[in-house]
Amino acid sequence: MNRKEIEALRERVGCAAVLEHAGFAIDAKESTRRAVKFRRGAEIIIVTHEGRGWFDPLSDAKGDVFGLVERLDHVGFLEGAGRVADLVGFAITEPEWKAPRPDQNHDPSLPERWQSRRRPWLGSSTWAYLCGERFLPATLLRAAIRQDRLREGPYGTMWAAHTDNAGIVTGWEARGPEYRGFASGGTKVLFRLGQVTALRLVITEAAIDAMSLAAIEGLRDGTLYLSTGGGWSPTTEAALREVASRSDANLVAATDANPQGEMFAARLRTLADTVGCDWSRLRPPEEDWNETLKIREKEKRERKEDGVPHSHRPPQGKLRPAEPALDPAGRDAGGPEGVMKD
């Protein structure tokens, strides 16, 4: 079988056909148009990329239709390609995705959709993603859960709530091993973690970065960690303007260490000048705060494996800063370039 024939098979046979032929069934309630969830007993496979890709949310396995056959049938590529060829013309018995039939008399609001999802728990797929892949400590996750900031999304994703200044959920950032998006029909305002009345307002571009910086700083007293979700909508700007208008507020631009992060920081500086609050720039040592956290945690684990003791080990179950104050002496935000809108 040559390369041209392989490419033709990849186009003609979708992952859904392989899964149905193998006895998997669609979980309509946990599926979306872009990510269709299939189950066979305890096994789960998520089909993506319009049926051409897949991943296992319970492991790191992923690939195309050939890799799927190899995984399910435990065969090599050549034999797997032959089995894919046998499925040419195989018609699945139901569409790859059907929207769940809504209740004719009720259209759930965003807050209701949020409340219908479970909070993450030790051992859940969201907990495993945040703790295992993103290196967020369990103590930080418990703090975010106590503040009702996290929910278990479908197919192994995390939902991180955006709320308005009255505390109403307006949407959520959704992140997972193979997914990045925002709540359908939702509005980006601000993800918030920490003391809602705090005067030190730390702004990041993603909820995971806000939580990562909070973990590094040990949920610093008097601080509210915020995320814009990567956007700058009128509602986001209005919410920031309101919280920054508090007397003695300090707006900290903790955006990414890249050109877009610098542009966001410049816009935050302009907003601070407009409302008359203090302002400072806090750049992550790496490109973003989650990457910084991951590198630090990996180094800690390596030192522990090498038998190097930690000095001033924090009490179990409590967060404390990994280093003294992170605020730099300088306050330069970079150039005055404009900021891209979402």
Side-chain angles (χ1 to χ4, degrees):
M1 188 176 293
N2 60 39
R3 186 180 185 85
K4 199 174 203 180
E5 291 172 323
I6 290 172
E7 292 299 326
L9 278 178
R10 186 181 281 114
E11 289 299 317
R12 295 181 66 184
V13 181
C15 294
V18 172
L19 290 168
E20 182 164 328
H21 188 262
F24 282 76
I26 292 176
D27 184 342
K29 290 184 179 180
E30 293 288 330
S31 297
T32 69
R33 192 175 301 279
R34 293 182 179 179
V36 185
K37 187 172 189 176
F38 286 79
R39 290 182 180 272
R40 185 178 67 180
E43 296 176 274
I44 298 173
I45 296 292
I46 308 297
V47 174
T48 58
H49 299 97
E50 298 181 348
R52 303 305 170 196
W54 63 275
F55 71 92
D56 178 355
L58 304 179
S59 73
D60 295 329
K62 59 183 177 180
D64 61 6
V65 66
F66 297 106
L68 182 58
V69 171
E70 290 178 52
R71 177 178 175 81
L72 296 178
D73 295 351
H74 306 288
V75 297
F77 177 80
L78 290 179
E79 186 174 350
R83 297 189 184 190
V84 171
D86 292 339
L87 290 173
V88 172
F90 178 84
I92 61 174
T93 58
E94 57 183 322
E96 293 195 17
W97 181 80
K98 294 188 296 184
R101 187 173 181 180
D103 182 21
Q104 295 180 349
N105 299 316
H106 181 64
D107 184 16
S109 65
L110 281 160
E112 287 174 327
R113 287 164 57 191
W114 171 263
Q115 292 298 337
S116 70
R117 307 298 305 192
R118 294 184 65 181
R119 299 185 183 194
W121 66 96
L122 183 63
S124 72
S125 56
T126 295
W127 187 286
Y129 168 65
L130 292 174
C131 192
E133 293 192 30
R134 294 296 191 153
F135 285 71
L136 291 168
T139 43
L140 185 283
L141 294 181
R142 292 189 183 100
I145 292 167
R146 282 196 301 270
Q147 295 182 31
D148 199 22
R149 297 297 182 252
L150 299 176
R151 282 289 192 274
E152 288 270 334
Y155 43 88
T157 58
M158 164 211 78
W159 283 6
H162 273 228
T163 58
D164 59 22
N165 288 337
I168 304 300
V169 174
T170 63
W172 44 85
E173 296 176 44
R175 297 290 185 276
E178 295 286 334
Y179 184 81
R180 175 188 178 97
F182 196 80
S184 175
T187 301
K188 289 183 180 180
V189 184
L190 290 171
F191 168 81
R192 309 164 196 246
L193 177 65
Q195 301 170 337
V196 294
T197 58
L199 297 178
R200 181 174 179 259
L201 311 169
V202 178
I203 318 298
T204 67
E205 298 173 57
I208 285 179
D209 284 323
M211 290 188 287
S212 298
L213 180 53
I216 291 170
E217 293 191 330
L219 274 174
R220 181 168 159 178
D221 288 341
T223 297
L224 181 61
Y225 298 90
L226 304 163
S227 164
T228 65
W232 191 279
S233 67
T235 51
T236 295
E237 182 172 1
L240 283 171
R241 190 181 296 272
E242 183 173 335
V243 295
S245 297
R246 301 169 184 168
S247 178
D248 297 326
N250 176 24
L251 202 63
V252 180
T255 50
D256 295 350
N258 57 29
Q260 179 169 303
E262 296 301 333
M263 289 190 290
F264 268 100
R267 171 161 274 189
L268 288 167
R269 183 173 194 171
T270 299
L271 187 147
D273 290 342
T274 301
V275 300
C277 75
D278 199 5
W279 178 91
S280 60
R281 175 72 169 115
L282 186 59
R283 292 182 182 86
E286 307 301 326
E287 183 167 355
D288 60 46
W289 291 108
N290 186 242
E291 190 63 26
T292 300
L293 177 66
K294 287 194 287 188
I295 290 174
R296 293 186 181 196
E297 290 301 314
K298 288 176 182 177
E299 290 175 349
K300 285 181 183 178
R301 294 178 187 182
E302 289 172 0
R303 288 197 298 269
K304 187 175 182 180
E305 290 173 359
D306 292 339
V308 178
H310 294 289
S311 61
H312 305 293
R313 188 177 183 88
Q316 185 176 3
K318 293 185 179 181
L319 289 166
R320 62 183 297 169
E323 60 182 32
L326 286 170
D327 289 340
R331 293 163 46 84
D332 181 20
E337 299 90 352
V339 179
M340 294 191 306
K341 298 180 180 178
D342 66 344

